Amino acid sequence: MPPTIVSVPRDFRFGVGVTRARSRTTLEEAARRAEDFGFDVMHVPDHLGGVAPFPVMTTIAMATSTLRVGTFVINSAFHRPALLARDVAALSELSDGRFELGLGTGYVKSEFDAAGIPFPSAGERVDHLRATTRYMAEHLPQVPIMIAGNGDRVLRIAARSADIIGLTGGDRAPTAEEDPLAERIGFVRAAAAERFDDLELNVAITAMPVDDSGTPDLAITRHSLPGLSDEEMLRHPGVLSGSTDEIAGRIRGYRDTYGISYVIVQARHADAFAKVIALLK
């Protein structure tokens, strides 16, 4: 059964991820274009071998005036809370409060190996995420915290401590008998209790059409959900298909059915999704 959502829907917010920064000029141009398109947040991931999150986010913030910046998401197991808080505080100040801290447990063992850092157990990584979240909330209460994940322990921490919850949509496609996304939101509602209505719910889109075909490129989704068939992926909440009007309708459905008002797309989707934003804002 779909979850019971808040009585007054939140305004939509839209984010776009950036994974490349070939030069300051191209990054600044991409940031200004995202701002002009109506995106609210530009996100940077935290993967060894990828761009360095804080320098990139600082560049984005300096090039824009309303666009917020955030991490999606920091590998908290890579960082000691006090040292991470130093960078968070600096960027929050330099961006005039436009920074949102996204946190995750970290999961790619090869990145820990490459960094020469022991790979903690899943339980240890979740414990560290909880400790990091508590430290940030205590020392930097003005910085919104997002926690993204799907497991019970991570979502319980998010429900009790975060401002924004990043939902993956689950590792299965919805069927007539079950709706994994609704189940996870129901879990969050129970864990959050009276603070549920204050939470902002987010979903990340991994695939959508970038032309007039209506057909999404499933490359990212195949990598993240290798156990699903293409048919199942097309029914997954993280995959959007159809025309601009149809996609806008589905996004409205996410808010009306699940209470999800914050949607993130990938950089390759920015131009196409801008047309969707124009219908929803």
Side-chain angles (χ1 to χ4, degrees), residues 5 12 247-260:
I5 66 168
F12 281 118
I247 290 173
R250 189 168 179 187
I251 298 297
R252 290 190 190 98
Y254 285 173
R255 187 172 66 177
D256 295 344
T257 303
Y258 302 105
I260 294 171

Side-chain angles (χ1 to χ4, degrees), residues 7-250:
S7 56
V8 180
R10 286 176 174 267
D11 290 339
F12 281 118
R13 287 208 307 154
F14 301 108
V16 58
V18 56
T19 57
R20 297 180 181 179
R22 294 187 179 93
S23 70
R24 188 184 75 181
T25 299
T26 58
L27 180 60
E28 289 176 342
E29 288 174 351
R32 294 189 188 106
R33 187 166 64 252
E35 189 172 54
D36 291 343
F37 281 162
F39 283 99
D40 300 281
V41 191
M42 189 166 249
H43 290 277
V44 184
D46 182 22
H47 289 291
L48 199 63
V51 297
F54 283 93
V56 169
M57 289 186 294
T58 302
T59 301
I60 293 168
M62 296 301 100
T64 57
S65 57
T66 61
L67 189 69
R68 299 178 69 82
V69 292
T71 49
F72 194 84
V73 289
I74 283 287
N75 176 351
S76 62
F78 270 1
H79 303 271
R80 304 311 302 170
L83 296 177
L84 177 60
R86 179 182 61 180
D87 288 344
V88 170
L91 182 50
S92 180
E93 292 171 3
L94 291 172
S95 66
D96 296 324
R98 288 184 283 138
F99 177 60
E100 301 176 3
L101 176 63
L103 295 170
T105 59
Y107 62 94
V108 184
K109 182 179 183 299
S110 61
E111 293 184 13
F112 287 82
D113 294 341
I117 300 173
F119 185 56
S121 69
E124 290 170 334
R125 282 177 277 135
V126 174
D127 288 344
H128 188 71
L129 171 66
R130 180 172 56 240
T132 301
T133 303
R134 287 175 176 172
Y135 189 96
M136 297 300 164
E138 178 182 353
H139 292 85
L140 297 168
Q142 75 279 14
V143 176
I145 295 175
M146 167 194 274
I147 293 179
N150 192 59
D152 285 1
R153 289 192 65 199
V154 170
L155 288 180
R156 193 175 290 115
I157 293 167
R160 295 172 179 174
S161 304
D163 304 290
I164 308 161
I165 298 184
L167 299 155
T168 67
D171 56 4
R172 307 184 308 282
T175 66
E177 293 76 28
E178 61 178 1
D179 184 340
L181 179 57
E183 186 278 327
R184 291 288 78 190
I185 294 174
F187 180 90
V188 168
R189 172 181 283 278
E194 68 279 358
R195 73 187 303 266
F196 180 77
D197 285 354
D198 295 327
L199 296 174
E200 184 177 38
L201 302 183
N202 161 272
V203 67
I205 302 303
T206 59
M208 67 168 285
V210 294
D211 53 27
D212 295 330
S213 69
T215 302
D217 174 4
L218 295 172
I220 297 175
T221 315
R222 290 190 185 105
H223 178 74
S224 60
L225 296 170
L228 300 188
S229 67
D230 283 7
E231 180 183 357
E232 289 171 324
M233 290 179 196
L234 290 172
R235 291 188 279 109
H236 191 273
V239 175
L240 301 175
S241 304
S243 67
T244 299
D245 285 341
E246 289 169 331
I247 290 173
R250 189 168 179 187

